[in-house]
Amino acid sequence: MNKVRVRQLWFAATLLMSLFLMLVPLPGPLTPFKPYWPALILLYWCLQSGDRVTLGLAFCVGVAADLFDGILLGEQALRLTAMVFIALRFRSRLRFFPMWQQSLAVLGLLVNDRILLLLVRVFGGDPLPPPEYWISPLVGAALWPFVFLILDDLRARLRIHEA
Amino acid sequence: MALNRDDTSPLFAPGVAGTLRLIVYLALACVLMVLDHRGDWLGNVRYGLSLLVEPVYRIAGLPSQGFQAATVAFADRQRLTEQNQRLREDLLLANAKLNRMASVAEQNQRLKELLDTQHSLSLNVQLARLIGVDLGSFRHRIVLNVGARDKVQPGQVVIDARGVMGQIVEVMPTTSVAMLITDPNHAIPVTIERTGLRTIAYGSRTGDSLTLPNIPVSADVQAGDKLVTSGLGGRFPPGFPVGEIRDVAQTPSGTFLSAQAKPAADLDRSEDVLLLHDLAEPAGPPAPAPNVGPPADLAPPPGTPPAATLPSVTSPTATPAPARTSTAAPSTGTTP
């Protein structure tokens, strides 16, 4: 019982942490290099325990992110739902990819996410973003192995502790 | 964890239910977006949920605050001394200028009183601090630590020591969000200081400069010209520095000149900003004059027979003659 609760807490804590990381600013010139943290953390949980991540959860995380972000309610909800759907559908295959292939898959998902964002913003009447707009998915994909391994390691440690 | 415990995650066959749910959620998100885009819906929701959102902003702002504290703490003595020296010199210079300005300002005040204009040079401001929060990539907005409880209102102008930074677009109880002048969705009416040409400066796509896309071809605009707010539009008070023109070129169509300007304010360095309290004088025709004349309750009610005395609502030029009283009174005084 306790074990289950700790695991749920850890799950919720990582998601909250990803929202925090989204809000924490990077120093000026590094700003375009900021990865899209909620997507990375949700992807990790998609691959590691796919029964816990559902489309509804992705939608809720997205709405929460939109609330903090304050730009357009539903924008991130749309993006995260679409991404989690793709990830869940290919989950069984993605899980057994070697790390570099997984990173490439993550890159694809993140680029797809950016394209969705671009569509939403252009429909909303915004001008086209500058080229730096496309850096963030690359950074996200480069960080993916580390995110994955660190979260996996932390999860393993937590399991040992609570046992 | 077993790979295929049940049928929920088959290796290849896609589930129809999953697709249906996806469509439902995507539609829901689209509806939310449209609702929010049309009406200012998110602002209300966020105002309601600000109890939850604001503490998160404060906590998320801590790292950048800590970073600044650390820079100060670990900055070497020499740099601090240098900075101190520079600030002293700046202050000395500013004070000297102020002293000279004071007499001029006083003179200006007297002249203005003579001319009977309302515009004054004094500033009515409120100090605010930035909260270091990132509101999404390629969005040029800042979060300030004052809100509705400090009487902040949407539309107030944010300035720093060097010029206009932007305006408040969203107010929550103890924080507010300001849009910078470099936001692609922002426009500010400006005057070129040297020539007095009025135009509009828009935010740019890259977000670090201003664009002035429609200057007449015949206009005299040079790199280095200073831009100040023109006060038109009734949002930004006149006379605040906005930026400096960097380069001027013809638009591809050749009908206008297009200029790039560098904002005067330190948009990405300012920590303390000022909120202007008094807005610009309202532009456009003056408000319609209030209904002058005697109060309505002085007029006799429509049903009563006309009084013997002449009601004072007759036209001002007409001098009441006793002989006309009986004819004029029913037509002007008793008609509702």
Side-chain angles (χ1 to χ4, degrees):
Chain A
M1 186 60 206
N2 192 22
K3 203 168 166 179
V4 172
R5 194 180 293 167
V6 168
R7 251 185 253 168
Q8 275 171 354
L9 268 180
W10 171 238
F11 177 65
T14 51
L15 287 181
L16 274 182
M17 199 62 209
S18 73
L19 291 184
F20 265 123
L21 282 176
M22 183 189 75
L23 282 177
V24 172
L26 289 182
L30 289 181
T31 311
F33 292 92
K34 192 161 128 178
Y36 187 28
W37 287 108
L40 287 182
I41 304 289
L42 264 181
L43 275 181
Y44 168 80
W45 285 113
C46 269
L47 297 193
Q48 280 309 74
S49 60
D51 43 354
R52 242 187 292 188
V53 179
T54 57
L55 291 183
L57 179 84
F59 186 82
C60 290
V61 171
V63 168
D66 280 326
L67 267 183
F68 289 139
D69 211 322
I71 308 292
L72 187 63
L73 195 63
E75 175 197 288
Q76 300 196 46
L78 177 95
R79 291 156 58 195
L80 287 179
T81 312
M83 182 160 67
V84 163
F85 176 78
I86 302 172
L88 281 181
R89 175 158 288 196
F90 293 105
R91 171 171 180 256
S92 323
R93 270 175 275 180
L94 283 176
R95 286 187 70 189
F96 296 100
F97 276 173
M99 194 48 91
W100 67 271
Q101 278 184 19
Q102 236 178 50
S103 282
L104 278 186
V106 168
L107 176 67
L109 283 171
L110 289 176
V111 167
N112 177 48
D113 175 65
R114 284 263 135 168
I115 293 173
L116 267 182
L117 176 61
L118 184 72
L119 279 181
V120 169
R121 289 205 177 164
V122 168
F123 267 124
D126 280 7
L128 285 177
E132 293 97 301
Y133 180 78
W134 303 101
I135 297 178
S136 165
L138 295 172
V139 177
L143 278 181
W144 172 253
F146 303 101
V147 172
F148 190 87
L149 292 179
I150 287 172
L151 281 178
D152 241 15
D153 190 53
L154 282 175
R155 203 164 75 126
R157 271 167 205 241
L158 275 185
R159 222 178 245 169
I160 289 165
H161 271 294
E162 77 209 38
Chain B
M1 192 181 292
L3 175 59
N4 261 335
R5 279 168 312 184
D6 47 12
D7 292 337
T8 52
S9 68
L11 208 45
F12 292 107
V16 179
T19 318
L20 201 65
R21 251 182 298 156
L22 173 77
I23 291 170
V24 168
Y25 279 121
L26 290 190
L28 200 56
C30 289
V31 167
L32 270 181
M33 279 192 282
V34 169
L35 275 183
D36 185 35
H37 195 68
R38 287 294 160 96
D40 190 17
W41 204 65
L42 179 57
N44 296 339
V45 174
R46 256 157 68 93
Y47 197 90
L49 289 177
S50 56
L51 214 65
L52 183 78
V53 171
E54 285 180 343
V56 175
Y57 277 176
R58 304 273 169 163
I59 297 172
L62 284 183
S64 70
Q65 230 179 61
F67 184 73
Q68 272 161 22
T71 4
V72 173
F74 292 110
D76 53 343
R77 202 186 148 86
Q78 195 188 350
R79 239 187 59 208
L80 281 181
T81 323
E82 263 172 33
Q83 196 182 14
N84 195 320
Q85 184 67 30
R86 213 189 59 236
L87 288 176
R88 265 168 209 261
E89 283 165 13
D90 282 356
L91 185 67
L92 196 69
L93 205 67
N95 269 337
K97 273 186 190 163
L98 260 185
N99 285 338
R100 257 189 66 199
M101 285 289 289
S103 62
V104 180
E106 204 174 312
Q107 189 184 15
N108 186 299
Q109 186 66 34
R110 264 186 289 122
L111 290 175
K112 284 215 161 127
E113 274 166 19
L114 281 180
L115 286 173
D116 199 21
T117 56
Q118 299 290 316
H119 179 66
S120 83
L121 282 177
S122 66
L123 282 180
N124 186 7
V125 294
Q126 176 181 14
L127 189 71
R129 281 190 81 88
L130 249 65
I131 301 180
V133 171
D134 183 6
L135 289 188
S137 49
F138 306 103
R139 293 294 184 171
H140 307 280
R141 293 179 182 213
I142 49 175
V143 181
L144 304 177
N145 71 344
V146 290
R149 283 187 200 160
D150 310 281
K151 308 272 195 312
V152 175
Q153 287 167 354
Q156 272 190 300
V157 180
V158 183
I159 60 171
D160 75 350
R162 291 158 199 268
V164 177
M165 289 184 80
Q167 57 176 311
I168 302 282
V169 289
E170 192 185 336
V171 178
M172 285 179 281
T174 63
T175 53
S176 52
V177 180
M179 184 188 263
L180 296 179
I181 51 172
T182 49
D183 190 289
N185 290 324
H186 194 275
I188 174 169
V190 294
T191 308
I192 294 176
E193 207 177 26
R194 187 171 58 85
T195 59
L197 177 83
R198 292 184 308 273
T199 180
I200 294 179
Y202 296 89
S204 68
R205 204 159 69 96
T206 49
D208 51 359
S209 63
L210 298 165
T211 321
L212 292 82
N214 38 20
I215 304 172
V217 180
S218 58
D220 171 23
V221 181
Q222 298 167 0
D225 280 354
K226 297 261 196 311
L227 301 173
V228 296
T229 48
S230 68
L232 294 180
R235 180 56 61 90
F236 293 92
F240 284 95
V242 174
E244 188 183 317
I245 291 194
R246 275 297 156 89
D247 59 336
V248 186
Q250 277 216 330
T251 49
S253 64
T255 44
F256 286 109
L257 291 177
S258 155
Q260 298 288 321
K262 181 181 169 293
D266 272 337
L267 291 182
D268 46 0
R269 255 169 295 165
S270 294
E271 277 305 311
D272 297 292
V273 299
L274 294 174
L275 287 180
L276 288 189
H277 264 300
D278 29 22
L279 302 180
E281 291 151 37
N291 253 337
V292 286
D297 51 331
L298 282 186
T304 55
T309 55
L310 178 76
S312 50
V313 273
T314 48
S315 69
T317 52
T319 47
R324 273 166 53 193
T325 319
S326 55
T327 58
S331 62
T332 56
T334 55
T335 44

